[in-house]
Structures are given as C-alpha cells and as structure tokens.
Amino acid sequence: DDGQKRPSQSIKLVFVDASWWHKGDLNGRKMFEKGPRIPGSIHIDMDDIALPPHLNPKSLPHMLPTLELFAATMHHYNITNQDHVIIYA
C-alpha cells in the first residue's frame, strides 16, 4: 500500500466534449461525430441546454440552464453526482 487514496469502483470518469463556436461555419457536434475523439466521450452542445433568451431577464443567449434542465441532461447521459466529469473543447 502506497498510502494513496483510490477512487471507489462506483465512481466513473466521464469525458464531455463541449466544443462550441460563437460565429462561423464550425460545428462542434459535427466535428465530434466525425472524430477523432476521446473513446467513450460524449458531446453536449451548450445551445442544447442553455436557457432560451425569452426565459431570462435580459433576453441574452447562451445563459446557464435551469437546475431542472441541467439535471435532466445529466440524467440523460447517466452522469451522477459521484462521477468525475472532464469537460474539454
């Protein structure tokens, strides 16, 4: 035993590709689907979970989702509070 704590077997590591571009012809989802990518990773598009402009006080795009929408997205991808999530772009 080297004294290092080891993660529980029930904890999983989830890689999330969150590539997104504000302007131009680049498309993070299409690039993810085309690859290459980290094996087993998922893609979450910010615009898929962002609070729509008509639902936020300043009508701004790309705002944080509601707690319920964020939780539903995590549930959809089977991501739990115990998981370690690495978000990259």
Side-chain angles (χ1 to χ4, degrees), residues 6-71:
R6 303 283 186 240
S8 166
Q9 294 297 334
S10 64
I11 296 174
K12 70 178 184 264
L13 187 59
V14 181
F15 289 95
V16 177
D17 181 315
S19 298
W20 178 87
W21 284 265
H22 179 63
K23 295 181 180 180
D25 294 332
L26 295 175
N27 182 301
R29 183 182 315 278
K30 287 181 183 176
M31 292 173 71
F32 175 81
E33 291 169 354
K34 183 178 178 183
R37 62 184 166 274
I38 296 173
S41 63
I42 61 172
H43 181 270
I44 297 178
D45 190 312
M46 181 173 133
D47 286 334
D48 289 347
I49 66 169
L51 190 64
H54 71 278
L55 293 179
N56 68 69
K58 302 274 186 188
S59 296
L60 298 172
H62 321 299
M63 294 289 99
L64 291 173
T66 63
L67 178 61
E68 294 80 12
L69 179 54
F70 184 78

Side-chain angles (χ1 to χ4, degrees), residues 69-85:
L69 179 54
F70 184 78
T73 302
M74 296 304 102
H75 179 76
H76 173 79
Y77 288 105
N78 196 31
I79 298 173
T80 70
N81 288 339
Q82 291 74 37
D83 297 332
H84 294 263
V85 179

